[in-house]
Amino acid sequence: MPLRLLPPTLINQIAAGEVVERPASAVKELVENALDAGARRIDVTLADGGRSLIVVQDDGAGMTPADLALCVERHATSKLPTDDLFDIGFLGFRGEALPSIGSVSRLTLTSRTRDSDSAWRLTVEGGAKGEPEPAAGGPGTRVEVRDLFYATPARLKFLKAPRTETQHAADVINRLAMAHPEVAFSLSDGTRSVVKLGAAQGDLFARRLDRLAGVIGREFFDNALPVEAEREGIRLTGHIGLPTYNRGNAQQQYLFVNGRPVKDRLLTGAVRGAYQDFLAHDRHAVLALYLDLPPREVDVNVHPAKAEVRFRDSALVRGLIVSALRHALAAAGHRASTTVALGALGAARPEGEEAEMRRPALPLGRSGGQAAWSWTPPPRPAAGDLAAAFAAQAPQGGFFEPAGRLPNLSAPPQARDAGPAAEAPRRAAAEHPLGVARAQLHGTYIVAQTADGIVIVDQHAAHERLVYERMKQALADGGVARQGLLLPEVVEMDEADADRVAARAEELAALGLVIEPFGPGSILVREVPALLGDCDVKGLIRDLADELAELGEALALKDRLADVCGTMACHGSVRAGRLLNAEEMNALLRQMEMTPHSGQCNHGRPTYVELKLKDIERLFGRR
Ligand SMILES: Nc1ncnc2c1ncn2[C@@H]1O[C@H](COP(=O)(O)OP(=O)(O)OP(=O)(O)O)[C@@H](O)[C@H]1O
Ligand SMILES: [Mg+2]
């Protein structure tokens, strides 16, 4: 067969095959063009999921008649002034989008520059270009794409239901909107408004958070931590969700590189690394991260729809993300998600008030997320000081009602509140963010009084977290403290299990558990980690055996520390169902205050819930 050059229409259609896969990809290109033109408001309308009509209207710089005639030609672009593909300052750079769209649809462009008093129109049908002619229209550009893929009907067969296609377009618009909060966006399917985002105000972080809340949801606003870091000219900013605010998939992890939404496995991996201590394997963080780096550090010309980029130094970027996220999470201290308290209160509240409740009580600055439900950790006193201060305030006998004894109801109520004994908890409560333990309920929940509310702690989840954090620290510091058992304990189990446990003796010793094989199917336990307190040795070894069976031989225990510690904590002194005295409860609260990340357990569930007095008052209709 003779070798020949393909006709231009066919060349454009081939290019279109890569650039325009479905209506949403055309929407992406057109909205990007509007952003590049400096638009402040972009309105998109779809009919039939974009199949019969896509309209993108902007108030950007507009085009002259000469621009109009040129812009639909292949490789015509105004965005590469230096001829340098590594100096890209716009979303577009190839001059391919409009000719591609024009080759597979009926395309009409109407545009007016800001200093012209009339608009011009140009039409392209299946690749055949008309002449610019005068038209009616305000400043900016209006692009209409009719009958997408009419020139390449095979493509039509791949389109999904209009609703699905509209949803894809909404997704594209939302992503671009997250990167450009100062621009107003709307999407309508002709009858319904699908996206409606007003231009956000305030400084960069405030604008972004506002926009993110608009896209991801109001709850993100209350549960987001700001992130800001810089390394070797690469700047990372953004908002990340508290671990307790998590999702079943990673779809709400957004990455933007120089204002461009991208998908990048590097991000997913880095986020997993940063959150690994705080989330179960099947839960995912919600976040939006913005990387800004010199154009030379990143290649954006690697994907037909520009959905991926390549970093020159991806290890540097990954390291920056992991460390910035860890830092932000650590700075959050033991703050837990607001959704828990909101959910609980929401269920108990009369209808209609809920929406009002979800509004944070305080204006959010760039510090983010200081809603009514959270608190800012005070500077941490040293452990010794706290314990001493606490001991000094604790009246004889503690301030909680010992389990089983009824409060003395015959005394006038104020009598119980008067005197120095009642003063102490109030003073202590003011000093300790998690308050003073007042009671233990159902052998599982510690109820504490804080300066302006109450805190309910899940003692088991909290203890599990503490064991983990302490274990991690101890390992980093060179060793886990152990306590010898008065009488070594023999634990019997099936032979395979015993062998598995025995094979890990050395690793377990590093974690504070000293064991040795003791004949077939038996393990002798000599020492246990001191931080477990009184522990159920038999239960612990048996559960560890199960854990090891599940783990297989491939992974070191240190790599599954969260799980191992979880198992250990289950048999420690503060497990669920164990009655605690006042001292033990308060000790637990004080430890939580001093321990980073103690607001959630190893699986991303909260360890405590705080209710402010004013919210409790609302519950009872007092406010
Ligand atoms: N909404 C708009 N407002 C003003 N000018 C526009 C608009 N859309 C397109 N243009 C002009 O038309 C040119 C061609 O647009 P097109 O999208 O085809 O290519 P590009 O944006 O330069 O690169 P890419 O193919 O990577 O998107 C642009 O460079 C720009 O000068
Ligand atoms: Mg473009």
Side-chain angles (χ1 to χ4, degrees):
M1 268 185 281
L3 182 64
R4 62 167 185 140
L5 272 176
L6 295 174
T9 331
L10 209 53
I11 294 177
N12 281 339
Q13 286 181 355
I14 291 170
E18 293 195 327
V19 176
V20 191
E21 190 197 339
R22 62 190 330 158
S25 14
V27 168
K28 175 173 187 287
E29 294 296 339
L30 299 176
V31 172
E32 286 187 356
N33 280 348
L35 286 168
D36 280 344
R40 293 278 125 177
R41 135 143 252 121
I42 302 173
D43 297 303
V44 183
T45 311
L46 302 182
D48 208 10
R51 190 193 269 236
S52 54
L53 178 67
I54 301 171
V55 183
V56 177
Q57 165 100 47
D58 70 55
D59 62 354
M63 284 181 273
T64 63
D67 290 344
L68 272 181
L70 194 57
C71 75
V72 292
E73 294 293 338
R74 205 142 187 249
H75 308 309
T77 181
S78 56
K79 302 173 190 174
L80 261 191
T82 59
D83 284 357
D84 182 351
L85 260 183
F86 283 87
D87 186 15
I88 288 170
F90 293 93
L91 296 168
F93 55 85
R94 308 159 306 183
E96 283 203 330
L98 291 180
S100 294
I101 296 170
S103 71
V104 294
S105 69
R106 300 180 223 274
L107 174 68
T108 307
L109 299 150
T110 311
S111 194
R112 179 173 147 187
T113 58
R114 283 176 190 143
D115 40 2
S116 157
D117 46 14
S118 62
W120 289 78
R121 170 173 301 154
L122 180 93
T123 305
V124 184
E125 261 191 45
K129 183 173 97 171
E131 289 291 324
E133 47 192 64
T141 303
R142 176 184 172 91
V143 183
E144 296 177 15
V145 181
R146 282 176 204 281
D147 306 325
L148 184 67
F149 299 138
Y150 90 96
T152 49
R155 261 285 148 99
L156 284 174
K157 299 206 180 79
F158 293 93
L159 296 190
K160 302 273 188 295
R163 229 191 141 75
T164 312
E165 295 299 336
T166 303
Q167 206 40 56
H168 280 288
D171 200 48
V172 159
I173 293 171
N174 278 331
R175 280 175 193 264
L176 284 165
M178 287 189 206
H180 301 274
E182 62 290 339
V183 179
F185 290 85
S186 76
L187 168 66
S188 151
D189 69 359
T191 52
R192 198 169 57 96
S193 151
V194 185
V195 173
K196 196 169 178 57
L197 298 163
Q201 311 289 328
D203 72 6
L204 179 69
F205 280 76
R207 279 203 305 273
R208 281 232 198 99
L209 190 54
D210 194 34
R211 178 56 56 86
L212 292 175
V215 175
I216 299 175
R218 199 67 199 167
E219 282 184 347
F220 185 72
F221 192 94
D222 299 335
N223 290 287
L225 304 168
V227 170
E228 192 172 10
E230 186 153 0
R231 199 182 279 176
E232 293 177 34
I234 304 183
R235 197 169 127 81
L236 176 74
T237 51
H239 286 94
I240 65 172
L242 285 168
T244 36
Y245 175 80
N246 54 47
R247 289 282 177 278
N249 59 44
Q251 272 172 18
Q252 291 192 321
Q253 298 184 351
Y254 302 97
L255 178 65
F256 304 88
V257 177
N258 291 348
R260 191 188 295 282
V262 297
K263 293 211 158 59
D264 198 313
R265 253 177 300 162
L266 174 116
L267 172 76
T268 332
V271 170
R272 191 157 273 296
Y275 277 84
Q276 114 187 344
D277 282 358
F278 319 114
L279 283 179
H281 301 294
D282 57 347
R283 303 301 298 175
H284 300 268
V286 179
L287 45 80
L289 295 175
Y290 301 80
L291 275 170
D292 287 291
L293 61 175
R296 308 208 152 269
E297 295 293 316
V298 56
D299 189 351
V300 295
N301 189 26
V302 295
H303 186 274
K306 299 179 220 162
E308 289 172 16
V309 296
R310 201 171 291 147
F311 296 104
R312 205 173 56 77
D313 187 348
S314 54
L316 178 67
V317 174
R318 194 194 135 89
L320 176 66
I321 295 180
V322 175
S323 77
L325 263 51
R326 289 217 173 122
H327 189 82
L329 290 170
H334 62 251
R335 204 183 131 197
S337 158
T338 64
T339 46
V340 195
L342 283 173
L345 278 178
R349 294 169 60 79
E351 264 178 53
E353 279 184 52
E354 201 161 327
E356 192 238 335
M357 263 190 59
R358 279 165 196 267
R359 209 174 331 121
L362 298 172
L364 276 162
R366 58 189 291 170
S367 64
Q370 296 303 336
W373 311 94
S374 59
W375 65 282
T376 317
R380 284 185 196 142
D385 295 355
L386 262 181
F390 187 76
Q393 282 156 358
Q396 292 292 301
F399 356 91
F400 80 121
E401 305 293 349
R405 205 205 298 160
L406 284 172
N408 181 1
L409 292 179
S410 57
Q414 59 273 44
R416 295 185 64 228
D417 227 34
E423 227 359 76
R426 219 175 287 135
R427 235 182 311 130
E431 257 162 59
H432 303 306
L434 290 182
V436 173
R438 303 289 276 178
Q440 184 195 31
L441 305 180
H442 299 288
T444 302
Y445 302 104
I446 298 170
V447 180
Q449 175 174 338
T450 63
D452 58 352
I454 63 171
V455 159
I456 305 170
V457 176
D458 176 337
Q459 67 186 47
H460 178 70
H463 184 242
E464 187 177 313
R465 188 73 206 172
L466 291 177
V467 166
Y468 176 58
E469 289 293 337
R470 294 251 214 115
M471 201 70 113
K472 221 168 46 172
Q473 192 57 48
L475 284 173
D477 294 347
V480 177
R482 312 193 277 237
Q483 73 193 13
L485 297 176
L486 277 179
L487 288 175
E489 196 146 348
V490 177
V491 187
E492 290 177 2
M493 58 189 99
D494 94 37
E495 237 179 282
D497 279 348
D499 290 348
R500 247 193 302 270
V501 174
R504 298 276 189 161
E506 211 171 300
E507 279 181 84
L508 290 170
L511 301 177
L513 191 62
V514 179
I515 54 139
E516 52 195 67
F518 193 70
S522 294
I523 292 286
L524 183 76
V525 185
R526 293 195 181 277
E527 294 175 78
V528 295
L531 52 90
L532 290 186
D534 249 351
C535 96
D536 159 23
V537 177
K538 284 198 171 70
L540 171 59
I541 300 293
R542 289 198 183 112
D543 280 3
L544 270 179
D546 289 347
E547 177 100 28
L548 291 177
E550 207 175 293
L551 198 63
E553 270 148 44
L555 270 182
L557 288 189
K558 277 189 193 174
D559 295 331
R560 288 291 293 269
L561 194 58
D563 299 311
V564 176
C565 289
T567 307
M568 290 203 180
C570 279
H571 299 281
S573 56
V574 192
R575 64 192 183 275
R578 159 87 155 65
L579 291 182
L580 301 177
N581 64 31
E583 238 165 284
E584 290 170 313
M585 290 194 283
N586 281 304
L588 189 75
L589 296 179
R590 302 294 78 83
Q591 284 170 17
M592 286 174 72
E593 283 160 0
M594 287 186 294
T595 306
H597 313 303
S598 60
Q600 66 268 321
C601 78
N602 302 345
H603 306 105
R605 292 189 297 271
T607 54
Y608 77 93
V609 173
E610 180 177 15
L611 301 179
K612 297 284 189 202
L613 269 184
K614 63 176 183 339
D615 297 309
I616 300 174
E617 284 165 7
R618 279 207 212 131
L619 261 180
F620 289 100
R622 281 167 171 262
R623 270 181 182 246

